[in-house]
Amino acid sequence: MSDTRTSAPRAPHPALAACRFAGLELRNRFAVAPMTRVSATEDGRATEQMAAYYGAFAEGGFGLLITEGTYTDTAFGQGYLHQPGITDEAQAAAWRSVVDRAHAAGARIVLQLMHAGALAQGNRFRDRTAGPSAVRPMGEQLAKYRGSGPWPVPLEMTSGQIDEAVEGFAAAAVRARDTGFDGVEIHAANGYLLDQFLTPYTNLRTDAYGGEIEGRSRLLREVTAAVRDAAGPGFTVGVRLSQGKINNFGWRWQGGDVEAAALFGAAVGAGADYLHLAGSGRDWLPDGPTLPGLARKVTGVPVIANGGLHEEAVARRVLDEGHADVLAIGTGALANPDLPHKAAAGALPTAFDPQVLEPLATLDNALTYASA
């Protein structure tokens, strides 16, 4: 007698479920991670090409788009040539077509606010870099973002320059709100300015911004509080944190979970509505807690996880086991701007080819790759 049993239908991908996240109504839990594309005009204005780039993710079904890091002041903030900014009305106005494309296709969009600090390799406003201490960054500048050679030794920021940076973040958040963005994300990850202050080997200060974690996290707290106060209630404010850096992928917080919990608490205590753990996928999935899971547990705010989450099996565990609320997809989104639609159809995602970012990580280079 033949066996007529059939296997149970596969459960829908958990990221396809709609959710309320940090005050935002999202159609699903798929987010586009922030990715530097250095394709703005020379004076930092977003372009129609960028609007089409972000619009493709929205039309592909992503619920949340987080933009590339956008510089916040005309002092030491800019990190790359052709990086977008939001330091004046002209730059803010240029972002409106990006916002409109995202909203027209049903996505929410958050602007990432970034100050490069000592890791700046292209700043049209200054011929020097600045950071917490006069310590040369590890490694060399990034060729795919038009850099070459060792990083220069930065100036040690004065109290006035620190205040200027804080004010830049706050003013940028107001411009983002008035432009129509649904929120902002403060970039305190990947080795940029706020992360430089958090890190003991780049922060050798002996004033109130240095020393133990309380001092090293002071700038993070000040920036978050200033952004929260300036943007006002009802506007979403997130903070992105990471252990690894663009010039030191292997770095881990020396205080382990205790230091991690202190950083999470500092950001949320200063007004962050959500936390975004960049590169946390490098640690998926050990037997025990994950950093996004720890952040969710100790703060009670929603958390975005990032790293390898285009892989469905990993994504299911992250969401089903409560490690995070939203999945930020980076290279998987570049290869699959319609990833949510593919997940709904049960189709396998296309593998990412690093050549799409070579020799430059620009949108022009991506078009050349696609036509080859």
Side-chain angles (χ1 to χ4, degrees), residues 193-246:
L193 182 71
L194 301 186
D195 191 22
Q196 290 158 29
F197 272 83
L198 295 175
T199 303
Y201 70 81
T202 51
N203 183 351
L204 307 182
R205 302 177 75 98
T206 57
D207 62 5
Y209 290 94
E212 300 302 319
I213 191 62
E214 176 71 15
R216 287 184 279 116
S217 65
R218 177 176 175 173
L219 183 56
L220 170 63
R221 299 195 308 272
E222 289 183 351
V223 166
T224 305
V227 167
R228 173 77 282 156
D229 291 345
F235 187 68
T236 299
V237 175
V239 170
R240 191 181 210 219
L241 294 161
S242 72
Q243 298 192 93
K245 311 172 193 311
I246 61 168

Side-chain angles (χ1 to χ4, degrees), residues 21-22 24 34 64 66-67 110-115 169 173 182-190 192-196 198 216-229 235-243 253 259-280 291-292 295-296 299 301-306 325-326 328:
F21 174 82
L24 302 177
L64 177 65
I66 308 172
T67 74
V110 165
L111 183 74
Q112 189 185 72
L113 304 178
M114 172 183 155
H115 189 303
F169 274 97
D182 300 293
V184 292
E185 180 175 282
I186 297 164
H187 198 350
N190 302 118
Y192 296 113
L193 182 71
L194 301 186
D195 191 22
Q196 290 158 29
L198 295 175
R216 287 184 279 116
S217 65
R218 177 176 175 173
L219 183 56
L220 170 63
R221 299 195 308 272
E222 289 183 351
V223 166
T224 305
V227 167
R228 173 77 282 156
D229 291 345
F235 187 68
T236 299
V237 175
V239 170
R240 191 181 210 219
L241 294 161
S242 72
Q243 298 192 93
W253 291 323
E259 182 171 346
L263 294 178
F264 302 153
V268 173
D273 297 308
Y274 75 82
L275 296 176
H276 180 177
L277 275 297
S280 49
L291 280 177
R296 206 165 178 250
T299 67
V301 302
V303 172
I304 299 176
N306 165 247
D325 302 270
V326 167

Side-chain angles (χ1 to χ4, degrees), residues 24-369:
L24 302 177
E25 299 293 341
L26 302 182
R27 61 186 172 190
N28 58 46
R29 298 172 186 267
F30 282 109
V32 175
M35 291 176 281
T36 299
R37 302 312 302 269
V38 289
S39 297
T41 63
E42 186 176 358
D43 60 354
R45 287 175 290 117
T47 65
E48 286 304 311
Q49 185 185 51
M50 290 170 60
Y53 165 74
Y54 285 107
F57 294 122
E59 293 155 9
F62 280 90
L64 177 65
L65 315 182
I66 308 172
T67 74
E68 60 209 279
T70 302
Y71 65 85
T72 53
D73 63 44
T74 56
F76 296 101
Q78 183 178 0
Y80 304 110
L81 299 176
H82 293 277
Q83 179 187 8
I86 192 163
T87 66
D88 57 32
E89 182 51 39
Q91 288 179 340
W95 277 109
R96 290 194 179 108
S97 62
V98 177
V99 172
D100 290 346
R101 286 284 293 267
H103 287 167
R108 302 299 95 195
I109 183 166
V110 165
L111 183 74
Q112 189 185 72
L113 304 178
M114 172 183 155
H115 189 303
L119 294 188
Q121 60 181 46
N123 184 340
R124 65 193 179 94
F125 305 104
R126 294 289 189 275
D127 59 4
R128 292 289 304 274
T129 61
S133 301
V135 175
R136 187 187 301 277
M138 294 180 176
E140 295 197 345
Q141 298 179 40
L142 307 178
K144 69 178 61 177
Y145 302 136
R146 303 187 176 93
S148 63
W151 305 93
V153 177
L155 298 171
E156 180 172 311
M157 294 176 75
T158 65
S159 59
Q161 289 166 341
I162 291 173
D163 291 343
E164 186 177 31
V166 174
E167 292 163 6
F169 274 97
V174 172
R175 292 189 190 96
R177 180 200 65 196
D178 294 347
T179 300
F181 281 98
D182 300 293
V184 292
E185 180 175 282
I186 297 164
H187 198 350
N190 302 118
Y192 296 113
L193 182 71
L194 301 186
D195 191 22
Q196 290 158 29
F197 272 83
L198 295 175
T199 303
Y201 70 81
T202 51
N203 183 351
L204 307 182
R205 302 177 75 98
T206 57
D207 62 5
Y209 290 94
E212 300 302 319
I213 191 62
E214 176 71 15
R216 287 184 279 116
S217 65
R218 177 176 175 173
L219 183 56
L220 170 63
R221 299 195 308 272
E222 289 183 351
V223 166
T224 305
V227 167
R228 173 77 282 156
D229 291 345
F235 187 68
T236 299
V237 175
V239 170
R240 191 181 210 219
L241 294 161
S242 72
Q243 298 192 93
K245 311 172 193 311
I246 61 168
N247 62 333
N248 185 3
F249 288 119
W251 175 257
R252 294 293 180 265
W253 291 323
Q254 301 301 282
D257 286 356
V258 173
E259 182 171 346
L263 294 178
F264 302 153
V268 173
D273 297 308
Y274 75 82
L275 296 176
H276 180 177
L277 275 297
S280 49
R282 296 190 184 92
D283 302 318
W284 295 130
L285 270 158
D287 293 327
T290 60
L291 280 177
L294 176 65
R296 206 165 178 250
K297 178 180 179 180
V298 302
T299 67
V301 302
V303 172
I304 299 176
N306 165 247
L309 299 175
H310 58 283
E311 297 180 10
E312 184 175 343
V314 179
R316 284 182 178 275
R317 282 195 62 188
V318 169
L319 292 177
D320 290 345
E321 296 178 9
H323 297 274
D325 302 270
V326 167
L327 311 177
I329 314 296
T331 55
L334 293 182
N336 304 271
D338 59 347
L339 183 66
H341 291 334
K342 286 183 176 177
L348 291 175
T350 300
F352 171 71
D353 184 347
Q355 289 301 309
V356 74
L357 301 176
E358 300 294 342
L360 295 173
T362 62
L363 297 180
D364 281 344
N365 189 81
L367 290 174
T368 300
Y369 168 87

